Amino acid sequence: MMRTLLVRGLLAGLAAGLLAAVFAFFAGEPPVDAAIGIEEAGTAAHSHAEPGGHAHGGEEEAELVSRDVQSTLGLLVGVGAYAVAGGGLFSLAFAFSYGRLGSLRPRALSALLAVATFIVVVAVPFLKYPANPPAVGQGETIGDRTALYFGFVALSLVFAIGAAVLGRKVGGWNGGLAGAGSYVVLVSVAAALLPSIDEVPDGFPGSTLWTFRIASLGTQLVLWVALGLIFGALAERVFTRQAQLVR
């Protein structure tokens, strides 16, 4: 059964990744192109402002991967790989949770897990460390920014698991409220203690910044909603077939 669910999770992740990549292409690539244009304009202005800047004004560094490939095949491969890996982990979480969270049917449990995953792994960390387009952020701080982001994701996940355990022990509506409340308090304290990062340069268009961030969040939303619905349908068929064989 575990192997069957894992395969279904990988397939659901692949399908969800395709949908998310299409959304990212239409919603996310325009602000990325705009941000790259701003970055290139700033680099060119800085080059001409420096002494001798005209000497290499016509030379450009060769791109290892063209922008056209990055925005199409690269986007599809990147989102697809992330979605397939997420689908595999999602199927394992589903297998562990099935039967432990009441009598939820596979579709309902899959949808619940997808919503919870989006909130805990994506939405909450996004509120503290939102995604930034090109030209936002300093190159020398990328390691620190990445570590802080994934550290907060890990904390949010640990707090969510602890809240779920607490809610299950208390039971009922009181358990749900206790678990949700404890998660909100813990994640709020962590967000307040972790350092903030604000490297948006002066003059960067706010519309470009927020269009990119909304598109980034929307891509994740499409991915996890699609994954929850598709995997739920596949898992429902697996358990229905198993029940028929038992009979």
Side-chain angles (χ1 to χ4, degrees):
M1 177 62 69
M2 180 66 74
R3 179 181 178 182
T4 301
L5 290 175
L6 178 59
V7 172
R8 298 302 189 277
L10 296 175
L11 292 174
L14 179 60
L18 292 175
L19 294 175
V22 171
F23 178 89
F25 177 79
F26 287 105
E29 287 305 310
V32 169
D33 289 335
I36 290 175
I38 295 170
E39 184 177 38
E40 291 176 345
T43 301
H46 178 72
S47 175
H48 287 298
E50 291 181 343
H54 292 283
H56 302 284
E59 298 180 5
E60 295 182 357
E61 295 183 1
E63 289 183 332
L64 296 178
V65 181
S66 69
R67 175 64 187 138
D68 289 338
V69 174
Q70 292 175 14
S71 62
T72 53
L73 181 60
L75 176 66
L76 180 62
V77 172
V79 175
Y82 171 81
V84 170
L89 294 174
F90 184 84
S91 66
L92 298 179
F94 175 91
F96 176 79
S97 302
Y98 189 72
R100 292 181 172 88
L101 298 178
S103 57
L104 291 175
R105 295 185 61 83
R107 285 178 185 267
L109 177 60
S110 180
L112 178 63
L113 284 178
V115 171
T117 301
F118 174 77
I119 293 173
V120 171
V121 178
V122 178
V124 169
F126 181 90
L127 294 175
K128 177 65 178 179
Y129 300 117
N132 287 325
V136 174
Q138 302 174 11
E140 57 271 19
T141 64
I142 188 171
D144 294 336
R145 287 185 279 123
T146 301
L148 285 171
Y149 173 77
F150 283 107
F152 191 48
V153 170
L155 286 176
S156 178
L157 188 59
V158 170
F159 294 156
I161 293 174
V165 172
L166 174 63
R168 188 166 180 267
K169 286 185 177 180
V170 175
W173 281 103
N174 291 334
L177 293 174
S182 63
Y183 172 77
V184 170
V185 170
L186 289 172
V187 82
S188 297
V189 171
L193 293 177
L194 288 172
S196 298
I197 299 175
D198 184 9
E199 296 184 346
V200 180
D202 294 336
F204 191 89
S207 59
T208 299
L209 176 64
W210 284 105
T211 299
F212 174 84
R213 288 178 173 176
I214 291 172
S216 176
L217 191 62
T219 299
Q220 292 275 8
L221 180 62
V222 170
L223 191 155
W224 289 105
V225 168
L227 177 59
L229 295 177
I230 295 172
F231 179 81
L234 295 177
E236 187 87 25
R237 293 179 60 182
V238 169
F239 283 99
T240 299
R241 187 180 300 117
Q242 183 187 43
Q244 290 174 347
L245 292 176
V246 171
R247 293 175 186 175

